Amino acid sequence: MCSPEEAALLRLEEVFSATLARVNSLVLQPLLSAAPEPSEPQSRECLRLLQQLHKSSQQLWEVTEESLHSLRERLRRPDSTGLESLLLLRGADHVLQVYTEYIESYTSCIVVQAFQKAAKRRSEFWRGQLKALRQLLSGVGSKGSVGTALIQALRQPLTHHVQQYVLLLLSLADTVPERHPARELVVNAATLFGNLQSFMRQALDQAVATQALWHSLSSRQRDALCTPAHRLLQDSQDVPVTVTPLRAERVMLFDDALVLLQGHSVHTFDLKLVWMDPGQDGCTFHLLTPEEEFSFRAQDPQGHAVWLWKVTQAVCQALRGKKDFPVLGAGLEPSEPPACRSVGYTFRAEGRFCQATYEGEWCRGRPHGKGTLKWPDGQNHVGDFRQGLEHGFGIRLMPQASEDRFDCYKCHWREGTMSGYGICEYGTEEVYKGYFQEGLRHGFGVFESAPLAAQPFRYTGHWEKGQRSGYGIQDDSDRGERYIGMWQADQRHGRGVVVTQAGVCYQGTFHADKMVGPGILLSEDDSLYEGTFTKDLTLMGKGKVTFPNGFTLEGSFGSGAGRGLHTQGVLDTSALPPDLSSICKRQLGLGAFPVENRWQGVYGPFRDFVSAGCPRDLQEALLGFHVQSSRELRKSQDYLCCGRTQPEDSVGRIKDSLEELLRHREPEALQQYLRKALSNSLHPLGKLLQRLMLTFQATYAGVGANKHLQGLAQEEVKQHAQELWATYRGLLRVALQHKGQALDKEEEEEEEDAETRDLHVHGLVLPLVLPSFYSELFTLYLLLHEREDSLYSQGITSLSLVPDTKLLEFLEVQKHLWPLKDLTLTTNQRYSLVRDKCFLSATECLQKIMTTVDPQEKLEVLERTYGEIEATVSRVLGRDHKLPMDDLLPLLIYVVSRARIQHLGAEIHLIRDMMDPIHTGGLYDFLLTALESCYEHIQKEDMRLHRFPGHWDSRELW
């Protein structure tokens, strides 16, 4: 059975529905027809507001009709339809939303005086309607204006209806038992509509106060501030407050902005970008905005409390994006605004950001976090900010004069300027990859021209304050030259080497991009010139030429138009031809560029990073990052989608690597760790190796593949290994520091001992890094020993035609050591005709020396070859037999000749230069010396021309 309260609710809804219909026909429809023509912005705004009010009124009527329907169903079938079926209860939130939207629309019309303006256009019509309006209302005097009557006609029915709602719902709640399923719904609806009463009173009071405010302002101020959305919350004319340093005459707090009036000027500040600091004296507090800071001082603590509370709550409300319900400052959300926010703002003050629009994260009045800056001229920056400046990873696009051309900077920034590693792709299609400092190229970097440039170039080296300075390599593809040496102020300056595509090398001193003073020229045929040059490296002045055959020409050199090179001097033909080893010693750059100083721009950032303890904010700046190409960025302008390696990932990887490092300190485990780290480009060791490989290729690949640079390259590889070991030791210290530990005394002493350090470098690091440089390095060895290897190759070819027994006989291998029983002959074969069958296991073993790049492994192959020779002899003799040197060397020559190893000279010299010094004077050193002696003997004329004397002495090898 239904309660009397439900019947009363039905009557209340019926009356309100009829009232809404009358108000619509009597007020809203005539207001819309009386609305001014939308010719001016203000008129169009009034029309829009009235149309919105009409729409809200219609929605309010529709929800009232739905409520009526649910009440009638409940009264008609009380047994089958429960109390919870009432729309006011089950849909209280929806009903409340409709009511609040109507209140917002209504108060917006009040703020801009839309009713008065509309009524003024048809004053005669509304005077005739005044009687009907007063009949609709209660408590309105006969002397009230038309505008007042219109306002009351739209307000009074609503306030009365909500008041009755609350009373009836409270009464209904008293009749519903505690455990009834619908009791909670009834109590909730009563609470919501009670809150709606408070919300409505506050909204109406704010609207009336805001409407009254406009009359106290000048027309210019009113035009700047009068908008339907503004609601006045506080006025300094009511609660006085002074502002410094602006010295505002009046301060007004709206629900979305803080306004300071100074003369005719209106200063408006978006509340989403206002931060507060309470003062110390109880009467002062400070406000921070993106471009200004103010101090507010009230006359007394009470005024201070009012302003501070209202500003705080208004900021919170603005950040939430909706009105506090039921009143300002109410609700479950925190009443203190967060220090960090995400808002958009356009800068106005002069400076780098002038007229730029920032979208992103803020903290206490400054861009802080991730954000995007866009300037009107098309310049854009997206990335990380700290305390108002670009700081961290960022991408900057700088438009160029020509259409669709940008300079794209993908870099790390520090306090507003590029600092750290970056990639810059210019509109000219030139590309720079390297380090920056204070916005300029500084440190190590690679600068490359566009692929199809008229004068293509590539510079790999050091920079200082935006200019090439220090040690660097520059390719001039147009001239087919590579410069290796010192730079200053963007010019070649100091000691330098020029290598040409034709194989000619120059070494000398440069000043202001020109060669000055005496220098050295080495030609492809090993001719050597020592003397002076012109600026374009032509022989000029006094000099001396040493020809490959040993002849020398000393005198004056010059050139003239159409005459080529001419000279006047003395030709000496008495000298003997130099040996090949002396020619090999003609190495350029040694001493001119101390190896430890060459690539400080590469080593330095890694040293600094490790010395600082591998800090998180430097990890990506050092290790670099991956982003998509700037062409894609230019097309899409969608900077935030750049495919960049997440810095958090690299941070985690380094942390894990440091922990893993501590678990792998034993020799075998350490070697595994180093191998893994050096192959990982996200590990500091792997990234450093990657950079060093880049410099090595830039120097010694292509045009730089010149035999006179072999010494330069060889010492560079060893230096790189030392630096990588030093970096590892630094990382070990950092890993221990993270655990609150340190190196023990024994480890400290080992680190200070140069000999121990060299053993680690050659025994652990060099074998691991050599493969990364091997291709270019071995090419230099090939070129340097090309002549010896050619003679050796001729000897091998000649010996390959000689049967095994004849060769063994010639080498004076004792016949009882010949492994003839290893030979399986057919009926038509004789021992004297068999080839490539004796000592086959040793031959196959030695051939494996070409399958590895590690000098240690090559030496182990040589040791196993020696073992295979002895094993074969022991098998032939039927007992263990240790070969004396006189027997071993002829057998080793035989095995070398049958192994047919290509470029054996290059192999031997590379092993000799790169092997661990611990083997000096030991077995490996002896075996390598023996192999070297075999190599030299095979080059001899008798071997090459297949002229075997009746006797030879193996002791001559020594």
Side-chain angles (χ1 to χ4, degrees):
M1 184 173 179
C2 294
S3 64
E5 286 79 5
E6 292 175 72
L9 276 172
L10 175 65
R11 291 192 296 275
L12 182 65
E13 293 285 48
E14 287 174 339
V15 171
F16 187 56
S17 177
T19 303
L20 285 174
R22 276 191 73 194
V23 168
N24 183 54
S25 62
L26 190 63
V27 178
L28 289 177
Q29 290 184 359
L31 278 174
L32 286 172
S33 63
E37 293 297 325
S39 58
E40 300 176 359
Q42 290 184 347
S43 301
R44 287 197 296 270
E45 184 65 20
C46 283
L47 177 59
R48 184 190 68 79
L49 291 172
L50 290 171
Q51 289 171 339
Q52 180 61 43
L53 180 61
H54 181 262
K55 180 181 177 182
S56 299
S57 176
Q58 184 65 28
Q59 291 173 341
L60 186 58
W61 179 80
E62 289 172 359
V63 81
T64 304
E65 285 294 305
E66 289 180 40
S67 177
L68 260 176
H69 177 74
S70 65
L71 282 163
R72 285 169 179 157
E73 284 296 309
R74 165 72 176 154
L75 292 173
R76 189 164 61 87
R77 294 184 297 177
D79 296 332
S80 60
T81 306
L83 190 61
E84 58 274 9
S85 66
L86 298 181
L87 180 65
L88 281 176
L89 304 184
R90 62 178 168 80
D93 290 332
H94 170 64
V95 175
L96 187 74
Q97 181 65 28
V98 173
Y99 273 79
T100 54
E101 287 177 2
Y102 177 83
I103 293 167
E104 286 292 328
S105 298
Y106 170 69
T107 53
S108 294
C109 290
I110 291 177
V111 167
V112 297
Q113 298 180 301
F115 302 125
Q116 292 89 329
K117 292 175 182 177
K120 190 175 181 181
R121 292 291 301 271
R122 295 179 63 187
S123 55
E124 291 297 327
F125 169 80
W126 287 110
R127 273 196 291 272
Q129 293 290 99
L130 196 56
K131 184 177 180 181
L133 286 172
R134 286 172 179 157
Q135 289 176 352
L136 181 65
L137 304 171
S138 62
V140 178
S142 59
K143 295 184 179 180
S145 66
V146 173
T148 303
L150 290 173
I151 292 172
Q152 290 294 331
L154 293 164
R155 173 180 177 176
Q156 193 179 81
L158 179 67
T159 54
H160 174 74
H161 185 65
V162 172
Q163 183 181 11
Q164 294 301 309
Y165 256 165
V166 174
L167 294 174
L168 288 174
L169 287 170
L170 288 172
S171 297
L172 182 60
D174 292 339
T175 65
V176 179
E178 283 286 342
R179 299 184 180 278
H180 194 282
R183 178 173 174 76
E184 186 177 345
L185 292 175
V186 177
V187 172
N188 178 59
T191 303
L192 286 177
F193 281 98
N195 290 337
L196 180 63
Q197 272 189 299
S198 302
F199 176 80
M200 187 162 52
R201 279 195 296 269
Q202 177 182 266
L204 293 171
D205 292 344
Q206 289 176 355
V208 171
T210 307
Q211 182 195 61
L213 170 69
W214 309 137
H215 300 293
S216 66
L217 302 179
S218 67
S219 59
R220 181 184 298 180
Q221 294 168 341
R222 188 164 54 247
D223 291 342
L225 296 174
C226 184
T227 64
H230 272 334
R231 299 291 185 274
L232 182 65
L233 304 182
Q234 192 62 56
D235 190 342
S236 62
Q237 289 191 345
D238 299 327
V239 180
V241 67
T242 57
V243 181
T244 55
L246 194 62
R247 298 192 180 279
E249 299 159 4
R250 189 173 182 183
V251 182
M252 293 172 291
L253 176 65
F254 292 92
D255 60 348
D256 59 349
L258 179 69
V259 176
L260 308 181
L261 300 183
Q262 187 182 37
H264 294 294
S265 301
V266 178
H267 304 276
T268 304
F269 302 94
D270 185 352
L271 289 180
K272 296 189 190 74
L273 289 167
V274 170
W275 284 260
M276 287 139 310
D277 274 334
Q280 301 296 324
D281 60 0
C283 291
T284 305
F285 63 94
H286 306 283
L287 291 187
L288 306 177
T289 71
E291 299 183 80
E292 297 179 77
E293 296 184 16
F294 304 104
S295 290
F296 281 58
R297 184 171 183 82
Q299 291 181 347
D300 51 51
Q302 292 77 17
H304 170 268
V306 168
W307 273 100
L308 183 60
W309 185 85
K310 285 202 173 179
V311 172
T312 300
Q313 300 312 315
V315 170
C316 289
Q317 178 177 265
L319 289 171
R320 286 192 283 268
K322 60 180 181 179
K323 301 274 189 188
D324 287 351
F325 188 84
V327 292
L328 182 67
L332 299 176
E333 298 188 53
S335 58
E336 288 295 328
C340 297
R341 310 165 189 177
S342 188
V343 194
Y345 178 77
T346 300
F347 291 90
R348 298 184 296 270
E350 290 297 323
R352 288 193 308 118
F353 292 174
C354 183
Q355 297 185 20
T357 299
Y358 175 79
E359 294 279 349
E361 298 171 347
W362 298 75
C363 184
R364 296 188 57 76
R366 301 289 181 267
H368 190 91
K370 298 190 179 300
T372 303
L373 270 172
K374 295 185 179 181
W375 282 263
D377 63 359
Q379 182 183 170
N380 295 296
H381 181 96
V382 57
D384 299 324
F385 292 79
R386 188 162 79 179
Q387 292 300 315
L389 297 172
E390 304 95 324
H391 192 97
F393 178 77
I395 297 177
R396 174 74 61 88
L397 285 193
M398 302 283 288
Q400 298 300 302
S402 56
E403 288 187 15
D404 197 32
R405 282 192 177 272
F406 293 83
D407 288 346
C408 180
Y409 301 87
K410 297 173 281 190
C411 314
H412 268 263
W413 298 69
R414 184 176 182 82
E415 296 179 357
T417 61
M418 290 182 287
S419 183
Y421 184 77
I423 300 174
C424 299
E425 297 170 318
Y426 301 94
T428 56
E429 296 192 15
E430 295 173 333
V431 178
Y432 173 80
K433 297 180 181 180
Y435 290 94
F436 289 85
Q437 183 174 298
E438 296 182 357
L440 299 173
R441 300 173 195 148
H442 193 93
F444 172 74
V446 180
F447 187 41
E448 191 170 5
S449 65
L452 301 178
Q455 294 181 318
F457 67 87
R458 177 188 174 95
Y459 175 80
T460 304
H462 300 141
W463 299 77
E464 187 173 339
K465 296 181 179 179
Q467 296 181 320
R468 290 167 291 186
S469 188
Y471 185 74
I473 317 298
Q474 175 143 318
D475 282 340
D476 186 336
S477 302
D478 196 38
R479 294 170 59 92
E481 290 182 355
R482 175 172 297 167
Y483 173 80
I484 303 169
M486 305 307 294
W487 295 76
Q488 182 176 301
D490 241 10
Q491 295 181 322
R492 295 178 294 181
H493 193 93
R495 303 294 295 276
V497 173
V498 175
V499 186
T500 71
Q501 214 161 20
V504 179
C505 296
Y506 303 84
Q507 178 174 310
T509 302
F510 288 78
H511 180 81
D513 225 25
K514 299 174 183 176
M515 194 170 188
V516 296
I520 296 173
L521 179 149
L522 285 168
S523 64
E524 178 69 14
D525 66 354
D526 291 322
S527 295
L528 169 65
Y529 171 78
E530 300 166 276
T532 56
F533 300 85
T534 64
K535 62 180 182 180
D536 59 352
L537 302 179
T538 302
L539 278 60
M540 180 66 71
K542 291 183 178 182
K544 177 183 176 182
V545 176
T546 302
F547 297 99
N549 60 3
F551 293 1
T552 61
L553 175 61
E554 188 168 2
S556 298
F557 297 83
S559 61
R563 293 191 298 163
L565 180 67
H566 59 86
T567 182
Q568 182 178 1
V570 178
L571 177 65
D572 183 359
T573 61
S574 62
L576 295 174
D579 59 32
L580 293 177
S581 62
S582 66
I583 293 176
C584 290
K585 292 177 182 176
R586 292 174 181 169
Q587 293 293 303
L588 300 180
L590 296 177
F593 323 115
V595 65
E596 64 273 10
N597 296 335
R598 279 177 219 162
W599 296 112
Q600 286 301 315
V602 180
Y603 305 145
F606 288 85
R607 286 178 188 157
D608 297 342
F609 174 67
V610 174
S611 298
C614 304
R616 175 173 182 155
D617 60 338
L618 292 182
Q619 287 180 17
E620 197 182 17
L622 170 82
L623 300 178
F625 42 80
H626 171 72
V627 291
Q628 69 190 63
S629 72
S630 61
R631 292 179 183 175
E632 293 301 317
L633 290 172
R634 293 170 193 166
K635 288 178 183 176
S636 68
Q637 300 287 296
D638 191 4
Y639 319 120
L640 289 174
C641 293
C642 61
R644 167 176 163 236
T645 302
Q646 292 299 316
E648 293 80 6
D649 294 345
S650 62
V651 169
R653 288 193 186 100
I654 290 183
K655 184 179 178 182
D656 293 342
S657 293
L658 291 176
E659 292 181 358
E660 187 179 359
L661 187 152
L662 294 177
R663 298 193 299 269
H664 295 77
R665 297 175 67 181
E666 296 302 317
E668 280 191 28
L670 175 56
Q671 190 174 42
Q672 293 176 2
Y673 174 82
L674 290 174
R675 180 179 286 109
K676 181 180 176 182
L678 289 166
S679 63
N680 181 3
S681 63
L682 294 176
H683 192 286
L685 290 174
K687 179 58 71 175
L688 176 54
L689 177 60
Q690 199 176 68
R691 298 265 167 86
L692 296 174
M693 288 169 58
L694 187 151
T695 63
F696 200 78
Q697 291 166 359
T699 310
Y700 305 111
V703 177
N706 189 292
K707 61 186 177 184
H708 301 298
L709 300 179
Q710 177 270 340
L712 207 65
Q714 178 233 119
E715 66 176 10
E716 209 164 280
V717 172
K718 292 180 179 179
Q719 180 65 27
H720 293 342
Q722 288 183 26
E723 290 292 338
L724 286 162
W725 176 252
T727 303
Y728 159 75
R729 296 294 293 181
L731 289 171
L732 176 59
R733 286 180 176 275
V734 173
L736 289 170
Q737 287 169 5
H738 287 181
K739 298 291 185 181
Q741 303 172 19
L743 294 174
D744 58 37
K745 186 177 180 180
E746 184 179 347
E747 288 177 313
E748 289 281 5
E749 291 174 354
E750 284 184 3
E751 187 163 311
E752 293 175 3
D753 181 50
E755 187 176 342
T756 305
R757 184 170 62 248
D758 289 344
L759 288 176
H760 283 128
V761 170
H762 284 84
L764 274 173
V765 183
L766 191 57
L768 295 174
V769 303
L770 187 56
S772 301
F773 307 105
Y774 193 80
S775 177
E776 292 77 20
L777 183 63
F778 191 65
T779 299
L780 296 176
Y781 275 90
L782 290 177
L783 295 170
L784 184 61
H785 300 284
E786 186 175 16
R787 290 189 182 181
E788 303 103 292
D789 274 340
S790 177
L791 296 175
Y792 158 79
S793 182
Q794 292 175 29
I796 290 295
T797 303
S798 178
L799 295 177
S800 68
L801 303 175
V802 181
D804 288 352
T805 56
K806 189 171 183 180
L807 183 56
L808 289 169
E809 182 181 5
F810 165 68
L811 296 174
E812 290 189 349
V813 177
Q814 298 183 48
K815 287 192 176 183
H816 68 281
L817 302 181
W818 294 10
L820 297 182
K821 62 182 180 182
D822 290 348
L823 307 180
T824 303
L825 303 179
T826 63
T827 56
N828 297 324
Q829 281 186 318
R830 289 178 296 172
Y831 283 120
S832 60
L833 299 178
V834 174
R835 286 182 300 183
D836 300 329
K837 298 296 184 182
C838 293
F839 295 97
L840 185 60
S841 61
T843 300
E844 291 175 345
C845 182
L846 184 59
Q847 288 171 338
K848 293 177 182 176
I849 204 169
M850 297 183 294
T851 63
T852 178
V853 301
D854 183 357
Q856 175 69 26
E857 292 179 1
K858 290 178 184 288
L859 290 170
E860 290 170 0
V861 168
L862 190 55
E863 183 183 19
R864 288 197 299 273
T865 301
Y866 169 68
E868 288 292 338
I869 293 174
E870 279 203 335
T872 301
V873 170
S874 296
R875 189 174 65 254
V876 170
L877 298 177
R879 56 182 170 79
D880 288 342
H881 181 73
K882 292 295 182 182
L883 288 169
M885 292 304 108
D886 288 346
D887 288 341
L888 172 64
L889 291 173
L891 289 173
L892 186 58
I893 291 178
Y894 171 85
V895 171
V896 170
S897 68
R898 290 305 191 230
R900 301 182 182 88
I901 298 169
Q902 291 185 334
H903 315 298
L904 182 59
E907 293 277 7
I908 290 171
H909 286 89
L910 187 142
I911 296 170
R912 174 73 69 190
D913 290 340
M914 309 304 285
M915 74 178 188
D916 193 335
I918 197 174
H919 299 310
T920 303
L923 175 62
Y924 285 155
D925 193 3
F926 163 74
L927 291 175
L928 185 60
T929 302
L931 181 64
E932 195 169 8
S933 298
C934 296
Y935 169 74
E936 291 173 356
H937 190 77
I938 292 172
Q939 295 177 50
K940 290 185 176 180
E941 187 176 1
D942 288 341
M943 294 288 188
R944 291 187 286 113
L945 301 181
H946 200 165
R947 294 202 299 264
F948 294 154
H951 179 79
W952 74 290
D953 189 354
S954 63
R955 287 175 294 181
E956 70 184 31
L957 293 173
W958 302 95

